[in-house]
Amino acid sequence: MKVSRMLLFLVFPLFSLAQPNHFQIPFQDVNADVFDFALTGGMNNPQFSEIDLDGDNIKDLVYFDRVGDVVVTFLNGGTANTVDYTFAPEYIYRFPKVENWMLLRDYNCDLLEDLFAYKYDINTGKVSITVYEASRDGQNKVQFTLVKNIIEFHLKGQSDLFNLANSTVDLPAVDDIDGDGDMDILNFNSSGGYVEMFKNESQELGFGCDSLLYVFNDNCWGRMYESGISEFIDLSPVIDSCSGYPNWNPIKSARHAGSTILTVDMDNDGDKELFLGDLSFKNINMLTNGGNADTAHLTAQEMFFPQNSVNVNIDIFPAAFYVDVNNDAAPDFIAAPNILANSEDDKTWYYENTGSASFPVFSYQQNDFLVEEMLDHGTGSAPAFVDFNDDGLMDIVIGNGEKFINTFLQQSYLSLYENIGSANSPVYKLADSDFAGIKQYNQQRLVPTFGDLDNDGDEDMILGLESGELFYVANTGTATVPNYPNIVSNYAGIDVGQKSCPQLVDADRDGDLDLIVGERNGNINYFENTGSVSSPVFSSTATTETFGFIDAKLPGTIEGNSAPHLIDHGGEFFFFVGNETGEIWLYNNVDSNLSGIFNRVNNVLDSIDVGEESVLAISNINNNGSFEILMGNKRGGLQLFSEHFLVSVNSVAENSKSLIIFPNPSEGSINILFFNVINEEVSFQITDLLGKMIFSQTIWVNKETKLNLFDLAAGTYILTIQNNEGNFIKKIIRK
């Protein structure tokens, strides 16, 4: 969720708008088995933590995904010895927006896990670790307060503070390493190879465990060196020496290997073993600590952990996590890929702890934990609604960016989910995992859109591609029995550069289908159909490359990945745009203004953030009169939002013969002047364009009054005034 942030003492959640309504409907696989977590948005590089989200004294499950920097939350049913989770998206909006990594750890001993995360401070340029303290709101639900913008440390015997630098790709250990009750940090140094320890001196300085006061304690924690050129870790033969020991000459590398760290006391001896994942390898290496709590000495290694079970084998760069998955009070072991490039985008390895919390023993259970119950098409997903069999029910076709097959092969395809439910209760079942046989063409990042381009009564298909070109796939069958045997590549010679994202829609309302195409650069291209309903003609040059004058790029970024979707509601166009940030932007002022500037509308959609590369499809799939918005994202999954109260601005009735409102647009306040003296109570209400109440007040008015709008964000609103003469409705604009 995108919200404004202060440097310190900001409590989450703070909402300028209501939460979006996540909508859940049944999805089935090809065997009619229901996906329990179908619409969670997918999973690529998850990082698992525990926290009691709802105050029921049961630890719930949270994962943070590096891809898109998103939080996904599950409530734990608490059934003993059972994996018992329910997707709970309402808690997502209680977490601050962080990036690259996030771990929940209780640093202040209040039995509620706090939040540690990567931090780049844009003001100072420092890369460090940020900390949010967890607490409970009036409903006993978790919320977070920023208490440490960046973590700093001092050297022993010195008072100067230095930034605790942190890599974007590494995953540090945040744990009580020395057993004194406060939260220490293990982190690879900037050049890689050696693990550094930053000791928290909160206890030593008399603050108990509620402070974050760090000293640089050890530049060679565990007496180990990781070269990154072999799974083998070099271990020092003695506890009191690192690389200076004459009989220990580790094979050194010039590069930072890139590593993930988990610490667990596996043998209940008071010191921490280390689980290490490396950028270059598939395995997790467990290193046994033969030292003590004050001085770690790693003396043995289990390179392909666990040797007693199926070894972790993740392409590439695994990370390890320690959470109680099955409610038996013995934390379990999870491993997952820690980087997107060439990694398995649908694998999460779960090992049950068949020992105890004091003496863990991990036994392999599965390599698709949680993700087996999700709609997940690898990396990237792009949905389209289409009634592919003409039964009156909207089906779904999903294109993907790529699906990991092996290190050298990723595959893109279309999946068809047929609506086997009813007009009021949709149920989607996987009907074809290679819809239209698109796999054979070896293209990447498929974005489908449908429309009857040749006016023969059935749905044809246009596909956007990674290359920026388009495929045209004509339906040579019928509306009820479609057939897509052939493609036309480089359709109409259109090439928008990279990541074309098309929509077929009659944008100019002349009766034939035009093309609106988003692209990597963030602008939106409009191609007018200058042919006819049955014989479309598109120029290879866009009618305009600045449709709506919208740029989906954020300042300082190079990718926008605009994903346009134009819909008609009540005779008026509304223009939705997905983008690189994972948000939805909504615009009006489209009709008769295709070469002009569209108006950005602020509304509840602004709080949606599905990660990266949001691509959307919109339809009313349950016959309730409102739209549903299906969102794809870079993680390969889907999320569904119900859209209520979409108000048509141009069709708002305005009865203002008895009063005038000025100035409009306003920079902060408006005056309401009645033509006649009324001497009565008047009710004033302001709503946004989705019907959300922003302001409500009833006051005694003689002839005129003033309303203060300084707290309103810039945008268009609906002002309703009610007195004895009736209702007066007026569009107002806050500049």
Side-chain angles (χ1 to χ4, degrees):
M1 178 180 62
K2 301 297 188 284
V3 294
S4 59
R5 293 192 282 268
M6 298 172 61
L7 286 182
L8 292 172
F9 308 116
L10 177 60
V11 179
F12 288 81
L14 290 178
F15 301 112
S16 58
L17 297 165
Q19 293 184 29
N21 184 12
H22 286 254
F23 193 40
Q24 304 298 314
I25 56 176
F27 279 80
Q28 302 176 0
D29 66 15
V30 68
N31 298 315
D33 292 327
V34 175
F35 292 97
D36 289 341
F37 310 130
L39 297 172
T40 58
M43 179 187 290
N44 280 101
N45 301 146
Q47 302 163 2
F48 292 90
S49 297
E50 295 178 295
I51 188 171
D52 180 3
L53 294 168
D54 55 356
D56 65 354
N57 296 316
I58 300 173
K59 296 291 186 186
D60 304 301
L61 187 67
V62 174
Y63 74 79
F64 173 84
D65 204 311
R66 277 188 186 271
V67 176
D69 299 325
V70 294
V71 173
V72 182
T73 50
F74 296 86
L75 290 179
N76 188 345
T79 305
N81 301 301
T82 304
V83 179
D84 184 15
Y85 293 116
T86 302
F87 177 49
E90 64 271 22
Y91 292 94
I92 294 172
Y93 303 95
R94 294 181 165 269
F95 284 77
K97 187 69 175 178
V98 296
E99 56 184 341
N100 290 319
W101 64 263
M102 183 191 89
L103 297 170
L104 298 176
R105 301 288 188 265
D106 180 12
Y107 84 84
N108 56 4
C109 305
D110 63 355
L111 303 182
L112 188 60
E113 285 76 11
D114 309 294
L115 190 155
F116 290 73
Y118 170 91
K119 177 61 181 286
Y120 169 68
D121 189 327
I122 192 171
N123 296 313
T124 64
K126 293 181 178 179
V127 176
S128 185
I129 297 173
T130 190
V131 185
Y132 292 80
E133 181 182 336
S135 61
R136 298 210 177 276
D137 66 9
Q139 296 179 319
N140 211 28
K141 297 179 179 180
V142 71
Q143 61 183 1
F144 293 92
T145 305
L146 180 62
V147 293
K148 206 73 162 176
N149 184 46
I150 62 171
I151 288 181
E152 295 178 306
F153 68 92
H154 65 89
L155 301 175
K156 291 179 182 179
Q158 300 183 22
S159 59
D160 291 343
L161 291 174
F162 302 91
N163 177 53
L164 202 167
N166 180 244
S167 166
T168 59
V169 297
D170 287 356
L171 188 65
V174 181
D175 196 358
D176 181 10
I177 301 298
D178 55 8
D180 66 352
D182 52 29
M183 203 60 61
D184 309 302
I185 295 173
L186 295 183
N187 195 27
F188 271 89
N189 66 10
S190 58
S191 60
Y194 296 106
V195 174
E196 298 176 335
M197 178 178 171
F198 297 87
K199 176 180 171 59
N200 190 350
E201 293 190 313
S202 182
Q203 294 280 11
E204 287 80 356
L205 295 175
F207 296 101
C209 54
D210 68 352
S211 297
L212 298 165
L213 304 169
Y214 288 96
V215 60
F216 185 47
N217 179 261
D218 196 336
N219 67 354
C220 185
W221 185 89
R223 310 300 178 251
M224 58 152 280
Y225 181 82
E226 180 199 33
S227 67
I229 60 177
S230 168
E231 294 95 338
F232 180 80
I233 303 299
D234 282 296
L235 305 177
S236 172
V238 294
I239 192 172
D240 61 352
S241 188
C242 198
S243 59
Y245 183 70
N247 294 322
W248 184 45
N249 298 299
I251 301 173
K252 296 193 175 182
S253 170
R255 64 184 180 88
H256 177 34
S259 302
T260 62
I261 304 173
L262 170 71
T263 52
V264 178
D265 185 356
M266 293 288 290
D267 49 14
N268 200 31
D269 65 350
D271 56 37
K272 303 285 186 176
E273 277 65 53
L274 186 144
F275 292 87
L276 188 67
D278 186 278
L279 175 62
S280 303
F281 307 110
K282 304 179 180 182
N283 65 301
I284 292 287
N285 192 338
M286 190 193 83
L287 298 110
T288 300
N289 193 344
N292 53 59
D294 292 328
T295 306
H297 182 208
L298 302 176
T299 56
Q301 56 189 304
E302 192 173 320
M303 279 192 294
F304 299 96
F305 179 85
Q307 290 181 354
N308 67 303
S309 187
V310 178
N311 311 142
V312 173
N313 185 12
I314 293 176
D315 278 278
I316 196 166
F317 199 7
F321 307 93
Y322 192 52
V323 295
D324 185 6
V325 169
N326 62 347
N327 297 294
D328 65 353
D332 306 292
F333 184 89
I334 298 178
N338 186 56
I339 196 170
L340 183 61
N342 292 325
S343 72
E344 296 181 279
D345 46 29
D346 62 350
K347 289 292 185 288
T348 302
W349 294 57
Y350 162 45
Y351 294 80
E352 181 184 352
N353 185 350
T354 56
S356 65
S358 298
F359 295 95
V361 176
F362 298 121
S363 177
Y364 173 80
Q365 300 298 309
Q366 62 185 111
N367 66 359
D368 53 1
F369 174 64
L370 291 184
V371 73
E372 67 169 337
E373 297 293 342
M374 299 178 185
L375 292 183
D376 191 309
H377 295 84
T379 300
S381 55
F385 285 115
V386 59
D387 184 2
F388 94 102
N389 55 2
D390 199 31
D391 63 355
L393 304 177
M394 277 296 177
D395 310 294
I396 300 171
V397 172
I398 304 168
N400 74 331
E402 58 187 29
K403 179 80 168 182
F404 180 90
I405 307 300
N406 56 54
T407 306
F408 307 102
L409 177 62
Q410 289 79 42
Q411 197 170 58
S412 297
Y413 54 89
L414 299 178
S415 299
L416 168 65
Y417 287 85
E418 181 183 355
N419 188 346
I420 61 172
S422 66
N424 297 328
S425 300
V427 176
Y428 289 97
K429 180 181 178 181
L430 180 61
D432 192 342
S433 57
D434 186 20
F435 182 68
I438 297 299
K439 283 182 182 178
Q440 64 184 302
Y441 300 107
N442 297 318
Q443 294 296 318
Q444 285 187 308
R445 197 178 185 271
L446 306 174
V447 181
T449 182
F450 291 87
D452 187 2
L453 275 170
D454 49 13
N455 199 32
D456 63 352
D458 56 36
E459 297 285 347
D460 307 300
M461 179 169 60
I462 296 285
L463 285 175
L465 306 174
E466 173 73 25
S467 66
E469 300 174 345
L470 302 177
F471 272 3
Y472 170 49
V473 192
N475 184 355
T476 61
T478 65
T480 56
V481 185
N483 185 32
Y484 298 93
N486 300 304
I487 66 163
V488 175
S489 59
N490 193 22
Y491 178 63
I494 293 172
D495 184 349
V496 297
Q498 285 181 288
K499 297 186 176 180
S500 55
C501 187
Q503 185 197 10
L504 284 167
V505 61
D506 184 7
D508 56 6
R509 298 189 185 275
D510 67 350
D512 55 34
L513 291 174
D514 308 299
L515 268 171
I516 302 173
V517 186
E519 61 167 289
R520 180 181 185 269
N521 191 52
N523 60 295
I524 300 172
N525 306 271
Y526 168 55
F527 296 85
E528 181 185 356
N529 184 351
T530 58
S532 65
V533 175
S534 56
S535 298
V537 175
F538 295 103
S539 170
S540 60
T541 302
T543 307
T544 176
E545 296 181 352
T546 56
F547 191 61
F549 287 87
I550 296 166
D551 186 354
K553 292 193 304 295
L554 293 182
T557 62
I558 60 173
E559 289 195 45
N561 290 319
S562 50
H565 199 89
L566 184 66
I567 67 168
D568 183 289
H569 175 69
E572 180 184 355
F573 276 139
F574 287 86
F575 193 45
F576 296 77
V577 180
N579 49 52
E580 173 66 20
T581 67
E583 301 171 337
I584 304 177
W585 297 349
L586 174 60
Y587 297 83
N588 60 15
N589 191 33
V590 178
D591 290 273
S592 304
N593 188 35
L594 299 186
S595 60
I597 301 174
F598 299 165
N599 176 57
R600 172 78 184 273
V601 179
N602 296 317
N603 57 75
V604 71
L605 298 180
D606 289 354
S607 61
I608 291 177
D609 177 2
V610 297
E612 292 178 5
E613 297 187 15
S614 50
V615 181
L616 60 156
I618 301 176
S619 183
N620 178 20
I621 60 175
N622 57 1
N623 204 30
N624 67 346
S626 65
F627 291 110
E628 281 70 52
I629 302 177
L630 187 62
M631 298 278 292
N633 63 71
K634 193 171 183 178
R635 287 174 289 143
L638 296 175
Q639 291 175 272
L640 185 65
F641 301 90
S642 59
E643 174 61 76
H644 299 287
F645 314 119
L646 188 59
V647 177
S648 177
V649 176
N650 292 340
S651 62
V652 170
E654 295 192 11
N655 180 2
S656 56
K657 295 181 180 179
S658 299
L659 56 85
I660 58 173
I661 297 172
F662 64 96
N664 190 21
S666 165
E667 293 185 347
S669 63
I670 57 173
N671 298 289
I672 296 101
L673 175 64
F674 292 85
F675 292 158
N676 300 312
V677 176
I678 56 175
N679 283 323
E680 63 183 32
E681 280 193 334
V682 180
S683 173
F684 299 91
Q685 292 184 344
I686 297 176
T687 60
D688 65 18
L689 296 181
L690 294 176
K692 179 179 180 291
M693 184 69 67
I694 304 296
F695 172 90
S696 180
Q697 186 178 31
T698 299
I699 57 177
W700 187 271
V701 178
N702 181 8
K703 185 177 177 64
E704 62 181 303
T705 190
K706 177 181 288 188
L707 296 183
N708 185 343
L709 306 182
F710 285 98
D711 290 336
L712 290 187
T716 301
Y717 299 88
I718 307 301
L719 170 64
T720 301
I721 303 172
Q722 184 177 25
N723 68 355
N724 291 331
E725 294 187 23
N727 290 341
F728 303 88
I729 301 174
K730 181 72 175 178
K731 290 176 292 186
I732 59 172
I733 298 173
R734 169 72 163 92
K735 293 196 294 186

